[in-house]
């Protein structure tokens, strides 16, 4: 005998109650799927965003803080490299290029970053439109910038970062590059001459200008002889200010390791972005384990609630089961109907949870991408599928208990109960 017609009839009759059960299971599965998928997307996206940064050199301090400021363009407080260290670093001919980074200005929330032309071309592997800036009055925009080629704008002071350097007494003297509430505009107009290709990083929303411009508008030496208006290396050691960080592009892997060792000194630190990312991933891993534990507890509660609810629902279906037994249906048929009813709800909930969790991870990714500028692409991996399979098998096993109790109940007792 085929139990599915009876199961289908029961599902249709109690469709609203069954829908609640499906949503309950789906919510538990979706939570786990979204957590795991989003965590993996964040790892992949952050690593991809840092791919083009071979080596970062900065003043001794937190690698993580420097990484967030230099690579992900997040506001933060970092010390400045001493001017003499900066001058030697920027004029080092061992790497393919060394680009200083300078922060402090913005345009309607988009960070303005001072760098050299070689870094712009390197980060986006060429430009999507226009050309790299060739003078201090020109700028290159990121792929996601709302500006267009030919647009003119005035940079606004603040809304990005704050750097600190030590004074002669050893105390930290802070140079404010933070949001001051009402930011001041600079008396200089820039023209957009190029647009970078998408990088999948916060640099897609940035505006990159000659580093000499950022230094000059903040009253610092511009790295060249007084009155000389050119941009890019070489830099005059006597007129080079301290910088929060520099990006080095090595000629080869061996060269990168040699440079890392050369600038790991008392006055500077050098690190590969992957080193700092590992520390961030460790934090994310702890958070992931905590959230996964919460998801597992949630799923356990959902399954227990489901079984308790199904027991109640099967009590409502007892008249149908009693009728089947009275008509001569074998015990195994009654078991199949009772178990199939619960199993169908669990299976539907798991499928809904997979789809819902994947969709939820896209919503979270979009929100995180809008906040961080890192392109995130969630996917369904083996871990998510294993969790869904585990919930499915546990649900099937738990569904057997009320089904077994129903089919084992003596017919006389069942009729008397009715």
């Amino acid at each position: 005998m085929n139990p599915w017609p009876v199961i289908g009839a029961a599902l249709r009759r109690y469709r609203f109650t069954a829908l609640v059960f499906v949503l309950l299971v789906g919510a538990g599965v979706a939570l786990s799927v979204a957590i795991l998928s989003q965590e993996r997307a964040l790892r992949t996206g952050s690593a991809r965003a840092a791919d083009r940064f071979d080596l970062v050199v900065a003043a001794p301090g937190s690698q993580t803080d420097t990484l967030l400021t230099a690579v992900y363009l997040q506001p933060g407080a970092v010390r400045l490299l001493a001017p003499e260290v900066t001058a030697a670093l920027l004029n080092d001919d061992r790497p393919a290029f060394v680009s200083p980074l300078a922060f402090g200005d913005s345009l309607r929330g988009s960070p303005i970053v001072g760098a050299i032309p070689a870094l712009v071309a390197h980060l986006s592997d060429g430009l999507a439109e226009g050309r790299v800036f060739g003078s201090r009055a020109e700028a290159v925009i990121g792929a996601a910038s709302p500006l267009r080629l030919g647009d003119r704008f005035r940079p606004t002071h603040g809304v990005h970062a704050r750097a600190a350097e030590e004074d002669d007494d050893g105390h930290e003297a802070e140079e404010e590059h933070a949001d001051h509430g009402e930011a001041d505009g600079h008396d200089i107009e820039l023209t957009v001459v190029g647009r970078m290709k998408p990088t999948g990083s916060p640099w897609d929303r940035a505006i990159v200008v000659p580093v000499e411009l950022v230094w000059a508008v903040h009253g610092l030496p511009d790295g060249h002889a007084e009155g000389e208006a050119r941009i890019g290396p070489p830099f005059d050691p006597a007129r080079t200010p301290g910088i929060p960080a520099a990006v080095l592009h090595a000629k080869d892997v061996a060269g990168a390791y040699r440079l890392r060792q050369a600038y790991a000194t008392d006055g500077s630190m050098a690190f590969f972005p992957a080193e700092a990312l590992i520390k961030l991933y460790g934090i994310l891993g702890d958070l992931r384990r905590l959230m996964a534990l919460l998801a597992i507890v949630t799923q356990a509660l959902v399954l227990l609630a489901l079984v308790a609810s199904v027991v109640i629902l099967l009590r409502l279906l007892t008249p149908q089961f009693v009728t089947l037994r009275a008509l001569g249906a074998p015990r195994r048929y009654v078991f199949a109907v009772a178990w199939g009813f619960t199993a169908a709800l669990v299976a539907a909930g798991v499928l809904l949870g997979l789809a819902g969790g994947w969709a939820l991870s896209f919503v979270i990714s979009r929100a995180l991408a809008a906040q961080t500028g890192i392109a995130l692409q969630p996917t369904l991996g083996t871990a998510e599928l294993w969790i869904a399979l585990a919930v499915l098998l546990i649900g099937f096993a738990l569904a057997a208990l009320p089904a077994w109790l129903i089919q084992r109940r003596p017919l006389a007792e069942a009729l008397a109960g009715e």
Side-chain angles (χ1 to χ4, degrees), residues 57-94:
V57 176
S62 169
Q63 291 183 2
T64 301
D65 289 346
T66 303
L67 177 77
L68 293 175
T69 299
V71 177
Y72 300 110
L73 304 183
Q74 295 297 306
V78 294
R79 296 173 57 195
L80 298 180
L81 278 168
E84 60 272 16
V85 177
T86 300
L89 173 64
L90 299 186
N91 290 316
D92 194 330
D93 59 2
R94 288 174 293 179

Short mmCIF file of all heavy atoms in Angstrom, two decimals, residues 57-94:
data_model
loop_
_atom_site.label_atom_id
_atom_site.label_comp_id
_atom_site.label_asym_id
_atom_site.label_seq_id
_atom_site.Cartn_x
_atom_site.Cartn_y
_atom_site.Cartn_z
N VAL A 57 55.15 48.64 4.77
CA VAL A 57 56.12 49.11 5.75
C VAL A 57 55.50 50.28 6.50
O VAL A 57 54.91 51.18 5.90
CB VAL A 57 57.44 49.54 5.09
CG1 VAL A 57 58.40 50.12 6.13
CG2 VAL A 57 58.09 48.36 4.37
N ALA A 58 55.63 50.26 7.83
CA ALA A 58 55.06 51.32 8.66
C ALA A 58 55.87 51.44 9.92
O ALA A 58 56.82 50.67 10.15
CB ALA A 58 53.59 51.01 8.98
N ALA A 59 55.51 52.39 10.77
CA ALA A 59 56.17 52.53 12.06
C ALA A 59 55.81 51.33 12.92
O ALA A 59 54.75 50.72 12.76
CB ALA A 59 55.74 53.83 12.72
N PRO A 60 56.69 50.95 13.86
CA PRO A 60 56.39 49.81 14.74
C PRO A 60 55.06 50.00 15.46
O PRO A 60 54.74 51.09 15.95
CB PRO A 60 57.57 49.81 15.73
CG PRO A 60 58.68 50.48 14.98
CD PRO A 60 58.02 51.52 14.14
N GLY A 61 54.29 48.95 15.50
CA GLY A 61 52.97 49.02 16.12
C GLY A 61 52.14 47.81 15.74
O GLY A 61 52.67 46.72 15.51
N SER A 62 50.86 48.01 15.64
CA SER A 62 49.94 46.92 15.33
C SER A 62 49.87 46.69 13.82
O SER A 62 49.52 47.60 13.06
CB SER A 62 48.54 47.24 15.87
OG SER A 62 47.58 46.34 15.36
N GLN A 63 50.18 45.48 13.40
CA GLN A 63 50.05 45.14 11.98
C GLN A 63 48.59 45.21 11.54
O GLN A 63 48.29 45.66 10.43
CB GLN A 63 50.60 43.74 11.72
CG GLN A 63 52.10 43.60 11.87
CD GLN A 63 52.59 42.22 11.52
OE1 GLN A 63 51.82 41.34 11.13
NE2 GLN A 63 53.89 41.98 11.66
N THR A 64 47.71 44.79 12.42
CA THR A 64 46.29 44.79 12.07
C THR A 64 45.78 46.20 11.84
O THR A 64 45.08 46.47 10.87
CB THR A 64 45.47 44.11 13.19
OG1 THR A 64 45.91 42.77 13.36
CG2 THR A 64 43.99 44.10 12.83
N ASP A 65 46.15 47.13 12.73
CA ASP A 65 45.71 48.53 12.56
C ASP A 65 46.26 49.11 11.26
O ASP A 65 45.55 49.82 10.53
CB ASP A 65 46.19 49.37 13.74
CG ASP A 65 45.43 49.05 15.02
OD1 ASP A 65 44.38 48.39 14.93
OD2 ASP A 65 45.89 49.45 16.11
N THR A 66 47.54 48.82 10.99
CA THR A 66 48.15 49.33 9.76
C THR A 66 47.48 48.72 8.53
O THR A 66 47.24 49.41 7.53
CB THR A 66 49.65 49.02 9.75
OG1 THR A 66 50.26 49.60 10.91
CG2 THR A 66 50.31 49.59 8.50
N LEU A 67 47.20 47.43 8.58
CA LEU A 67 46.53 46.77 7.46
C LEU A 67 45.17 47.40 7.19
O LEU A 67 44.82 47.69 6.04
CB LEU A 67 46.37 45.28 7.77
CG LEU A 67 45.62 44.46 6.71
CD1 LEU A 67 46.54 44.17 5.53
CD2 LEU A 67 45.09 43.17 7.30
N LEU A 68 44.40 47.62 8.24
CA LEU A 68 43.06 48.20 8.07
C LEU A 68 43.14 49.61 7.49
O LEU A 68 42.30 50.01 6.69
CB LEU A 68 42.32 48.22 9.41
CG LEU A 68 41.96 46.85 9.99
CD1 LEU A 68 41.33 47.00 11.37
CD2 LEU A 68 40.99 46.12 9.06
N THR A 69 44.17 50.36 7.88
CA THR A 69 44.31 51.72 7.39
C THR A 69 44.85 51.76 5.97
O THR A 69 44.29 52.43 5.10
CB THR A 69 45.24 52.53 8.32
OG1 THR A 69 44.67 52.57 9.63
CG2 THR A 69 45.41 53.95 7.80
N ALA A 70 45.94 51.03 5.71
CA ALA A 70 46.63 51.13 4.43
C ALA A 70 45.95 50.35 3.32
O ALA A 70 45.87 50.83 2.18
CB ALA A 70 48.08 50.65 4.59
N VAL A 71 45.46 49.17 3.62
CA VAL A 71 44.89 48.31 2.58
C VAL A 71 43.39 48.49 2.46
O VAL A 71 42.84 48.61 1.37
CB VAL A 71 45.23 46.83 2.86
CG1 VAL A 71 44.57 45.92 1.83
CG2 VAL A 71 46.74 46.63 2.85
N TYR A 72 42.70 48.53 3.63
CA TYR A 72 41.24 48.60 3.61
C TYR A 72 40.70 50.01 3.85
O TYR A 72 39.49 50.20 3.91
CB TYR A 72 40.66 47.62 4.64
CG TYR A 72 41.06 46.19 4.36
CD1 TYR A 72 41.96 45.53 5.18
CD2 TYR A 72 40.58 45.52 3.25
CE1 TYR A 72 42.37 44.22 4.92
CE2 TYR A 72 40.97 44.21 2.97
CZ TYR A 72 41.86 43.58 3.81
OH TYR A 72 42.26 42.29 3.54
N LEU A 73 41.61 50.97 3.98
CA LEU A 73 41.24 52.39 4.05
C LEU A 73 40.24 52.69 5.15
O LEU A 73 39.35 53.52 5.00
CB LEU A 73 40.68 52.87 2.69
CG LEU A 73 41.60 52.65 1.49
CD1 LEU A 73 40.95 53.22 0.22
CD2 LEU A 73 42.97 53.27 1.71
N GLN A 74 40.38 52.00 6.29
CA GLN A 74 39.52 52.24 7.44
C GLN A 74 40.12 53.32 8.32
O GLN A 74 41.34 53.34 8.54
CB GLN A 74 39.34 50.96 8.24
CG GLN A 74 38.61 49.86 7.49
CD GLN A 74 37.19 50.26 7.13
OE1 GLN A 74 36.42 50.66 8.01
NE2 GLN A 74 36.85 50.18 5.87
N PRO A 75 39.30 54.21 8.86
CA PRO A 75 39.84 55.23 9.78
C PRO A 75 40.52 54.56 10.97
O PRO A 75 40.04 53.56 11.50
CB PRO A 75 38.60 56.01 10.21
CG PRO A 75 37.60 55.76 9.12
CD PRO A 75 37.86 54.37 8.63
N GLY A 76 41.63 55.12 11.40
CA GLY A 76 42.35 54.54 12.52
C GLY A 76 43.44 55.48 12.99
O GLY A 76 43.65 56.57 12.45
N ALA A 77 44.16 55.07 14.01
CA ALA A 77 45.27 55.86 14.56
C ALA A 77 46.55 55.05 14.42
O ALA A 77 46.67 53.99 15.02
CB ALA A 77 45.00 56.20 16.02
N VAL A 78 47.47 55.54 13.63
CA VAL A 78 48.76 54.87 13.45
C VAL A 78 49.87 55.90 13.59
O VAL A 78 49.69 57.08 13.30
CB VAL A 78 48.87 54.19 12.07
CG1 VAL A 78 47.88 53.04 11.96
CG2 VAL A 78 48.64 55.20 10.94
N ARG A 79 51.02 55.44 14.06
CA ARG A 79 52.18 56.32 14.17
C ARG A 79 52.77 56.56 12.79
O ARG A 79 52.58 55.77 11.86
CB ARG A 79 53.22 55.69 15.08
CG ARG A 79 52.79 55.51 16.51
CD ARG A 79 53.82 54.72 17.30
NE ARG A 79 55.13 55.35 17.24
CZ ARG A 79 56.25 54.75 17.58
NH1 ARG A 79 56.22 53.49 17.98
NH2 ARG A 79 57.41 55.38 17.49
N LEU A 80 53.52 57.65 12.68
CA LEU A 80 54.19 57.97 11.43
C LEU A 80 55.62 57.47 11.44
O LEU A 80 56.31 57.52 12.46
CB LEU A 80 54.20 59.49 11.20
CG LEU A 80 52.84 60.18 11.07
CD1 LEU A 80 53.05 61.68 10.86
CD2 LEU A 80 52.02 59.59 9.96
N LEU A 81 56.07 56.99 10.30
CA LEU A 81 57.48 56.68 10.14
C LEU A 81 58.29 57.97 10.27
O LEU A 81 57.88 59.04 9.81
CB LEU A 81 57.74 56.06 8.77
CG LEU A 81 57.48 54.57 8.59
CD1 LEU A 81 57.51 54.21 7.11
CD2 LEU A 81 58.50 53.74 9.36
N ALA A 82 59.44 57.88 10.87
CA ALA A 82 60.31 59.05 10.98
C ALA A 82 60.69 59.55 9.59
O ALA A 82 60.86 58.74 8.67
CB ALA A 82 61.56 58.70 11.78
N PRO A 83 60.82 60.85 9.38
CA PRO A 83 61.13 61.39 8.05
C PRO A 83 62.39 60.79 7.43
O PRO A 83 62.42 60.53 6.22
CB PRO A 83 61.30 62.89 8.32
CG PRO A 83 60.43 63.15 9.50
CD PRO A 83 60.54 61.93 10.36
N GLU A 84 63.44 60.54 8.26
CA GLU A 84 64.66 59.98 7.69
C GLU A 84 64.45 58.54 7.22
O GLU A 84 65.01 58.13 6.20
CB GLU A 84 65.81 60.06 8.70
CG GLU A 84 65.58 59.31 10.00
CD GLU A 84 64.88 60.16 11.06
OE1 GLU A 84 64.30 61.21 10.69
OE2 GLU A 84 64.92 59.77 12.23
N VAL A 85 63.61 57.80 7.93
CA VAL A 85 63.30 56.44 7.51
C VAL A 85 62.45 56.48 6.24
O VAL A 85 62.65 55.70 5.30
CB VAL A 85 62.57 55.66 8.63
CG1 VAL A 85 62.18 54.26 8.14
CG2 VAL A 85 63.44 55.57 9.86
N THR A 86 61.51 57.41 6.22
CA THR A 86 60.65 57.56 5.04
C THR A 86 61.47 57.88 3.81
O THR A 86 61.26 57.28 2.73
CB THR A 86 59.61 58.67 5.28
OG1 THR A 86 58.80 58.33 6.40
CG2 THR A 86 58.72 58.84 4.07
N ALA A 87 62.39 58.81 3.93
CA ALA A 87 63.20 59.22 2.78
C ALA A 87 64.03 58.06 2.24
O ALA A 87 64.09 57.83 1.01
CB ALA A 87 64.11 60.38 3.18
N ALA A 88 64.64 57.29 3.13
CA ALA A 88 65.43 56.15 2.69
C ALA A 88 64.55 55.09 2.04
O ALA A 88 64.92 54.47 1.03
CB ALA A 88 66.19 55.56 3.88
N LEU A 89 63.38 54.89 2.61
CA LEU A 89 62.45 53.88 2.08
C LEU A 89 61.96 54.26 0.69
O LEU A 89 61.97 53.44 -0.24
CB LEU A 89 61.27 53.74 3.05
CG LEU A 89 60.10 52.87 2.60
CD1 LEU A 89 60.54 51.42 2.45
CD2 LEU A 89 58.95 52.97 3.62
N LEU A 90 61.54 55.51 0.51
CA LEU A 90 60.96 55.92 -0.77
C LEU A 90 61.99 55.97 -1.89
O LEU A 90 61.63 55.91 -3.07
CB LEU A 90 60.28 57.29 -0.62
CG LEU A 90 59.11 57.36 0.37
CD1 LEU A 90 58.44 58.73 0.29
CD2 LEU A 90 58.09 56.26 0.11
N ASN A 91 63.24 56.10 -1.54
CA ASN A 91 64.30 56.15 -2.55
C ASN A 91 65.04 54.82 -2.71
O ASN A 91 66.06 54.75 -3.39
CB ASN A 91 65.30 57.27 -2.21
CG ASN A 91 64.70 58.65 -2.38
OD1 ASN A 91 64.02 58.91 -3.38
ND2 ASN A 91 64.92 59.53 -1.41
N ASP A 92 64.52 53.78 -2.08
CA ASP A 92 65.13 52.46 -2.19
C ASP A 92 64.90 51.92 -3.61
O ASP A 92 63.76 51.87 -4.08
CB ASP A 92 64.49 51.52 -1.16
CG ASP A 92 65.29 50.24 -0.97
OD1 ASP A 92 65.95 49.79 -1.93
OD2 ASP A 92 65.24 49.67 0.14
N ASP A 93 65.96 51.53 -4.29
CA ASP A 93 65.83 51.08 -5.68
C ASP A 93 65.73 49.55 -5.81
O ASP A 93 65.69 49.02 -6.91
CB ASP A 93 67.01 51.58 -6.52
CG ASP A 93 68.35 51.09 -5.98
OD1 ASP A 93 68.37 50.34 -4.98
OD2 ASP A 93 69.38 51.48 -6.56
N ARG A 94 65.65 48.84 -4.69
CA ARG A 94 65.55 47.38 -4.75
C ARG A 94 64.17 46.90 -5.18
O ARG A 94 64.06 45.98 -6.00
CB ARG A 94 65.94 46.76 -3.41
CG ARG A 94 67.44 46.84 -3.11
CD ARG A 94 67.74 46.34 -1.72
NE ARG A 94 67.17 47.23 -0.69
CZ ARG A 94 67.27 47.01 0.62
NH1 ARG A 94 67.92 45.92 1.06
NH2 ARG A 94 66.76 47.88 1.48
#
